[in-house]
Amino acid sequence: MAPSSGPDSSVTPVRATASEGGNSTLYPAYRFGKDGRSYSNSSAVRGASPATIGPGPGSFSTELKSTISSRSITPRPDFMAPVAVEEDGEDYITTSERKQEEIRDLIAKELKIKTGSENMLEALQSKNPKQTREQRLRVDSELNSSNRKIAELRSQLEEEIQRSKVPSTPPRNRLTGLFRGSPLREPSRNDDANEIALDGENPSESPTYVLEETLQALEAEGMQPDYYVERANNLVELFKRHPTLKYDLVWSVFGLRVQTMLLNDSKEVAAAGYRLTRYAIADIKSLRVIRSLHTDEIVILSLVKDSKAAMEREQALKFVRAFLEVKDGVREISKGILRTIIAIAEHHEDRLRPMCILTLSEIFVKHPQSVVSAGGMGPLNDALSDGTYQGAESLAGIFLYIMDTPSRRKYLESGHELEAVFAPFTDALVMHSHEERLRSNAKAIAAILKTWPGLISLASNRFSAIRSLLQSLSYPSLHAQDLILELLFDILRIKPPSWSSSFLAGRRLTTYGRVAQFKADRPRAPSVSDAGADNSKIDLTAHFTALILAILLKSGLVEALRDLIESAEDAAHRRKATLLLTEALKLASQTLPTALSSKIQVLPELFQTAFELESPNWSLAGITVYQIDSISRTLRRTNNSSGTYGESFKSTNFEDSLNPAAVDVAKSKLGPTMDETQFRTLILESQVLNTVNYLKWKWDLIHGLIEGPLTNPKRLEEAMKATKFIKRLVGFYRPFKYRFSEIRNTKPNQRYVRTGCALMRTLMTNPEGVRYLMDNKLVRQLAECLAQLDRMSGLTSASPIFSPERMSETLTGGYFTIIGVLSSDSNGLAIFEKWHMINMFYHIIELSARDDLIQALLGNMDFSIDGHLRVMLSKALTACSKENRIYSTRLLRKYVVRDPRAQEPFTGDVANVQWALSLLVTQLYDPEVEVCEVAVKILEEACNEKSHLEYVVRCRPALDHLGEIGAPLLLRFLSTSVGYHYLAGLDYITQEMDDWFLGRNDTYVTLVEASIARAYTDRPSRSRFSLEEVTDVQGQGTVPPHFYRELTRTTEGCKLLQDSGHFYEFASIIRDYEMSDEDPEMVMKVKGCLWAVGNVGSMDLGATFLEETDVVQWMVKIARESTIMSLKGTAFFTLGLISRSLHGLEMLAECGWDTPTDGMGRSLGLCIPSNLEEFLSIQSWKTSSHRQTVEYISAERVKEALCDNDPVVLKILGWVVDLGNAVLTKKAASDIHAVKTRRPELFQRRNLFEKVLLILENQHMRLPVRRFLVNSFDHKNLIRRMVFEDDSDSEDELN
């Protein structure tokens, strides 16, 4: 971050900055000029900035501040540059600043001229354009001149600032060298080559020599703190540029320098020492050497200091965190340091508490027994349950990781640790006063319920935790009720429809009769019953959501929502609960077996109350029944009702993201059949004929007229010939009228673009409209504007309409949307031919510096008609820059992939599809891998249609050069006999089968688990997705392509699989697996075999393999009895795959698993066990005895410390032990203070201090107590004696 500056900039001895990732560097402070540049920074800075190096070891913070007070900046002659050089530098800077000030004054004047010109243009727009044309042109010319001068002046200012930073004769040996790692400067290209030396050394000198010289400079004693900070930062920069240098350190010398810095009285020097030591860590051996320097005791003393030493404490904690980045380094963290971190984590007022909780959780993952034995579970549990820790979701993930396997679970005492997060919702007192805590805990609960360990751990005691959460809806807390309802929407992955906000506000659903608007709410996903579709996208999140819904229903979801509806005082909460209940009932009917869903569909209690007229709630019950019916009918009118419910959760407005010209507007109420009188009345009401000021026009009415009555040829002819309605509308869009082209590019102003597109479409559907456009000035002026960009046309302009500034700031880019509408009609192409616009399109594609223009042109064109536009696209696909080639490739997707909202199979024109597919195949040979990857993804998605797949195979693409990128597409080829024989001829199948059998099958496990994790990762809600994200969003949470699944799509593939014997090997591994085996490699192997068997069993041709091996019952056994929760979940998902085939469904029914079916009796692949409690149960475990053993050892060590010949010392040690008792703390502290007042020499004894440290290491004490104990001793001198092995206690002390 740039240093704050000004004429009165304060000066501090040490300044701390932080780069990205928490790479903090300590810098001395200097005076700053008006442009924020250091007066002492006139020398050429060198070295890569911390921002480009990346985060340092142990980093977690991005800000580091110094609290030291101001001081004088009198230079020190022993290491500063000569005074003469300083004066030259100051004169140079003063001259440069004077020039910069002059340029800034000129910029300010030009900005005033620009503002005046813009105001004048706005005033002229409201007047008659013909009368003010010349004046407007002059003002426009003045505005362009001001913009050009401002750009030139800003460029001059930037050059002057850069010139002032790098003078021709840079002074040397100045404190400014500390800024050589500043993130204010990009690294020079020659930095790595030149390896500019530090601290004034010769650039040709070796880094070893620089290290030796800097360490020798650190020997100096009595220097100011910034002297040592400067040298330490030089060494850090040296280690960054030469990472291997730290492996050659001579620790006998380097360690002594580090010890000296850590023991320095200055907090900044100690912080620099920690930072230097952190960057010197190389491996586990170096960690042990560092610990031998008594750094454990020094770190403990630094961490217990108060907030005045914030920098030192933070760097000390970063130093400890650096241990975690070394293999087995966590085992080198001493118990004393760990107990100190735990004490800070327990102290809510400490600034470092969140960082210590984070550090503690990471240690818990890597070495859980150390945290448990040190008593670290308490602060972790508190942070998870109280809701004050901001990273509650990540902390819950730590517990979920520990819960997964028995070997890690044994370190949890009860197994109910995760249930603590539900506590705030079940405490009526907390619910009313801690809204932020409730919100944090709600996020943690959502994260827990989206994982297998979380779901299984909460299933104990008949889902008591989930039941308590649902019962909390009865508490009269509106905020808590709203959070619980939102939580249920989230974990069930229910996306409320767009009209839900209006419904919650109290409006009736019958007022939203425009079903066309609902169709964009939830685009329909391909269902399992679609004919002609390959249905290769199997949604695993839908299967998991079905299981969660079954658990919620068994826990009383319907009853809780019904009670909330009856008792809620707030109408919005009542309606929200009604909406959730309706969605849950619909989801249950679509995803759950009949045995589970049929009982709740009738809502017997609600109907009974509605018909009991004597009941006080009969009226409310009747209203609820009516609203449920109304919502259900409204949802059925959407396209979502016939698809698999899980897929609809990932719905996005793909049409809008792919086509900028797409319009999401409800169908107009104005029909084409309208009498003449009514039509003329509406024309007058639109205000188009009354005024030329477009701001007074009624654009909603205009749009309705264009899409309604004007589609009637008679009304259109009347509007063109009898009135000026069409003339004024078309004139509004003419570029040189400077009306539409000058409107600011904002979201509300997009209505002008939508209306313009609607106008073009209406005109193109009528021969009279086509003739009108053919000769109108609109298209002619558009052609002239395009010619301004065409170097071959000879036309130029000082301020072209399609300049980059206008394209980004005004609606000028909307002209390409209008041109795109014309390109979708053959008459529009004829208009292009007349005005030679096609030639201009070709030349625009060749522009190298206008990617925005090229993408605006290509992105709005319709390439459905064969002609020049397709040739133009082919040129862009091959001859443009990489970014434009990627963009053009993505444009082909909409021609080969069906609309996700379409109910019918893909019905695109065969010629268009084959044209697009052939271009995509050509893109597979692009020299840039990124282009090939995009083409592979689109082709893989297009090959879901069998006809598309067969055509791509006929193209015989060679994908060997793509490696892993082309593998998914080749797997698609296996699904047809044509593709199988093509790949067999290339000898691809046998090689790929061997790869999958020997290793890729295990890699697939990681791939599918990452896909599920991404699907459940919270993303910012957005209504539109960019082209880059469309295909990625679709792949999340789905089953990736599997070799054996694609192989079993054909009889030839099944024959090969049978001959290879791979399936039988997978079945034998599953059958022979011991449930108690926790070996990671074996678990990964079993998971891979489960996915392979599940993918084969999901195909009808693969069912014979299931019958031959009887593997289904063994998979059911793993799902029921496995002690590894993630393995249990893998078995659940793979059984869902098997249930998709008819034979698999029958086998699972025999094993007690129910599968829902559609109306035709076909499986939906969402099998659920009949006995949920048995499936989700886990064997109880015995808590590890490690903690008891460690506690016994700690008690013995404390007993050893309580031995001394001096009775007063024994009393002191006893009082120190009592400080760990909350009841005796106050008395023990007062006793220690009294003894210190009478016998201060006792608190200068090293042996007593060491015993106190031993007690602190083996006994739990709060942070204030630890701080009190340390401050009771002369710890600075004592720690120096410990570090430098001074065993002598003075004679007075001993006596």
Side-chain angles (χ1 to χ4, degrees), residues 823-824 861-867 869-870 895 909 911-912 915:
S823 69
S824 61
M861 286 296 178
D862 189 337
F863 301 99
S864 300
I865 301 176
D866 191 9
L869 294 183
R870 289 190 175 181
Y895 298 100
D909 183 45
N912 286 345
W915 160 77

Side-chain angles (χ1 to χ4, degrees), residues 1167-1187:
C1167 63
I1168 301 292
S1170 302
N1171 191 336
L1172 284 176
E1173 289 82 359
E1174 181 185 10
F1175 166 65
L1176 294 172
S1177 64
I1178 201 77
Q1179 293 180 1
S1180 59
W1181 62 90
K1182 184 179 180 181
T1183 305
S1184 173
S1185 60
H1186 179 75
R1187 179 177 181 179

